[in-house]
Amino acid sequence: MEARELNKSPRHPARVLLVAAACNPYRGSDFKVGWGRVQETAKYFDTWVICGSWDQEDIFRYSAEHGLPSSLHFCFVEEGWVARLLKRRHPLFYTNLFAYYLWQRRAFKLAVELHRRLNFALTHQATLVGYREPGFLWKLEVPFVWGPVGGTQNCPWRFLLCGGLDMALVEGGRSLINWLQLRLSRRVQQAARRATGLLAANSQIKKSLERIHRGRATVLLETGISEVLPAEALNPKPHQPFRLLWSGDFKHHKALPLLLQALSSLTPDFPYELRILGRGPLDKRWRKLAQRLGINDRCRWLGWLPLTEAMRQYDWADVLVFTSLRDTSGNVVLEALSQGVPVVCLDHQGVGDIITPECGIKIPVTTPKKVIAGLKEAIVSLATQEGYLQSLSRGALKRAQNYLWSANGAQMASIYLAAMATGQNRPVI
């Protein structure tokens, strides 16, 4: 096994070990989650992190440019040739999942070696957040934290056909696998039941974990934000034309067509512009849909942008529209709130927990036809009701304060301390 250590320094009284397969200061999604988590943990504990070698170069570059806390230590583990061969020849989700499983085995081997030398007070399976691969840290005889766990949510069944037969097969099949894997996967069961701290990324996942695994879970959003825009920097009023932003993978569950159809139902003289960030397998199909609906001249397809450029889009936007039919949370939702951009979304899963009437508009998840009508009504209200957008913008900044990494880290630290106090590897939270 090839593993390299970065930053050997004086230790804090309590040593903790995190496995964060995705952990990168320059990338988004799970990588951003992992980076935020380890940075916060290092404020409170002597923190050791096992992460993927794919993040090694960026972490060393960040360390050279900005430095790292003396309490933060990184170890990097390679995938191994078998995993690389699998991913290259069979780039399917479950083949990649098996490759990830093989990486977790290598990571656990290193974890055992580190534990013998450093005697950790606690271990934490941090990222990736999906429940399907819980890793192996629960095998160590120390308190174990798992999560915040995500990935258990499904696409609402009434929406399975709104993207065609292929969406029904993919999302319906995923829902079936979720049902089976949550109940029958032995390692998922063992990790959930051995966890001293079992964390759920949203309230829906909490219900699933508690119902199926009969433990007690704590809700803690898996992601966070670093800073919030000052209130004085807010846009004073809606722009003309009204500016809408959408961001996500071009995959069925992200459901951009719901927004496109809502916009096509607006009166021809309603002024708006839509910027679309993202790329994916449905790129051509969704562009053709916008053309068929007669709205493509109002749409700008920007592809994926570097994180710094993507963040600048919030300066432009009046509102973020988040149409996802299944998501643990949605990093773009927090990004929007932190910049004072209200969010229009569906009222379910993680985003349903995050958004309140003071910072956005939630559309009941009923039927595709009613959701499209609800999106249209929300857009018209924000663009035409005087003062409404400004009120929600102020509410967005206030709501964003709850999701600062500093607040998330403080809550996680209290969970660690409670787990350490038990001195046991079993459910107590």
Side-chain angles (χ1 to χ4, degrees):
M1 177 185 305
E2 181 181 340
R4 295 179 61 191
E5 295 181 9
L6 175 64
N7 193 1
K8 297 178 180 179
S9 56
R11 303 167 182 164
H12 285 62
R15 301 189 196 102
V16 301
L17 173 66
L18 282 74
V19 169
C23 182
N24 193 303
Y26 301 113
R27 298 179 65 182
S29 192
D30 283 302
F31 297 92
K32 183 178 180 181
V33 169
W35 186 254
R37 176 70 58 219
V38 304
Q39 292 290 309
E40 287 302 317
T41 303
K43 292 179 181 179
Y44 299 91
F45 306 99
D46 189 21
T47 302
W48 292 73
V49 184
I50 297 176
C51 57
S53 59
W54 43 84
D55 291 322
Q56 177 175 316
E57 183 178 344
D58 283 342
I59 291 175
F60 272 91
R61 176 160 63 97
Y62 182 92
S63 176
E65 294 174 354
H66 306 284
L68 289 174
S70 62
S71 55
L72 184 57
H73 321 259
F74 285 97
C75 298
F76 302 96
V77 177
E78 295 278 357
E79 298 181 278
W81 69 269
V82 175
R84 287 195 297 271
L85 182 65
L86 282 171
K87 290 169 68 176
R88 184 168 62 250
R89 295 198 173 184
H90 303 282
L92 300 174
F93 173 76
Y94 280 97
T95 305
N96 287 339
L97 188 63
F98 184 64
Y100 180 45
Y101 161 81
L102 295 177
W103 183 88
Q104 287 287 352
R105 289 177 62 91
R106 295 166 68 86
F108 181 64
K109 184 177 179 180
L110 177 58
V112 171
E113 296 172 4
L114 291 173
H115 184 49
R116 286 175 183 156
R117 176 157 59 96
L118 298 169
N119 191 27
F120 294 111
L122 176 141
T123 63
H124 180 186
Q125 179 70 25
T127 67
L128 305 170
V129 301
Y131 79 92
R132 300 179 197 280
E133 181 46 68
F136 298 91
L137 290 177
W138 48 269
K139 288 186 174 185
L140 296 177
E141 295 300 319
V142 294
F144 165 64
V145 173
W146 183 22
V149 177
T152 70
Q153 60 281 334
N154 299 318
C155 176
W157 68 269
R158 288 188 178 91
F159 291 75
L160 287 177
L161 285 171
C162 68
L165 182 59
D166 53 340
M167 177 177 178
L169 292 174
V170 170
E171 291 298 325
R174 181 186 178 280
S175 296
L176 176 60
I177 292 170
N178 260 356
W179 192 94
L180 293 170
Q181 202 162 9
L182 272 169
R183 291 161 174 79
L184 302 180
S185 171
R186 185 181 177 191
R187 284 197 304 121
V188 170
Q189 292 175 354
Q190 289 172 319
R193 293 173 184 175
R194 293 286 297 277
T196 314
L198 179 59
L199 310 178
N202 64 50
S203 57
Q204 181 176 323
I205 294 171
K206 170 183 168 69
K207 291 177 183 177
S208 297
L209 293 175
E210 291 183 342
R211 182 179 68 253
I212 296 167
H213 298 293
R214 299 181 181 181
R216 186 179 174 192
T218 298
V219 174
L220 179 66
L221 195 68
E222 86 282 6
T223 187
I225 48 179
S226 299
E227 57 185 3
V228 176
L229 187 76
E232 57 270 19
L234 286 176
N235 291 326
K237 60 182 179 180
H239 295 90
Q240 290 292 332
F242 192 61
R243 299 175 176 182
L244 300 113
L245 180 66
W246 186 96
S247 179
D249 291 317
F250 288 10
K251 295 180 179 179
H252 284 303
H253 70 278
K254 293 295 186 178
L256 174 60
L258 294 175
L259 174 59
L260 298 180
Q261 292 176 69
L263 293 175
S264 71
S265 67
L266 293 167
T267 59
D269 61 344
F270 185 90
Y272 73 87
E273 181 181 349
L274 171 65
R275 288 189 180 180
I276 302 165
L277 302 184
R279 191 174 288 118
L282 298 176
D283 196 319
K284 290 183 179 179
R285 186 187 299 190
W286 286 356
R287 287 174 186 259
K288 288 181 179 178
L289 175 61
Q291 291 172 348
R292 190 166 65 250
L293 293 172
I295 63 170
N296 199 50
D297 61 332
R298 309 276 195 100
C299 301
R300 288 190 60 194
W301 306 79
L302 301 180
W304 283 124
L305 299 176
L307 184 59
T308 53
E309 293 183 31
M311 290 298 295
R312 293 193 191 104
Q313 299 305 312
Y314 298 111
D315 294 335
W316 171 88
D318 289 316
V319 64
L320 173 77
V321 184
F322 188 75
T323 54
S324 182
L325 293 169
R326 61 164 176 85
D327 255 298
T328 297
S329 58
N331 283 300
V332 294
V333 173
L334 293 190
E335 290 171 358
L337 295 181
S338 73
Q339 301 303 301
V341 177
V343 177
V344 175
C345 64
L346 305 190
D347 188 9
H348 67 162
Q349 301 170 9
V351 70
D353 291 343
I354 297 170
I355 299 302
T356 67
E358 288 70 42
C359 65
I361 299 175
K362 296 190 285 189
I363 312 300
V365 184
T366 49
T367 66
K369 184 176 180 179
K370 290 181 179 179
V371 164
I372 291 168
L375 290 171
K376 173 187 175 182
E377 181 181 348
I379 291 166
V380 172
S381 296
L382 288 168
T384 60
Q385 291 186 26
E386 186 176 355
Y388 191 20
L389 184 71
Q390 295 92 318
S391 174
L392 292 185
S393 294
R394 292 190 294 270
L397 294 181
K398 184 176 180 181
R399 183 64 172 163
Q401 295 288 341
N402 296 309
Y403 296 105
L404 286 167
W405 270 119
S406 55
N408 189 301
Q411 187 174 353
M412 182 64 79
S414 68
I415 291 169
Y416 280 10
L417 291 172
M420 290 177 192
T422 70
Q424 300 176 15
N425 186 345
R426 62 180 179 83
V428 295
I429 293 179

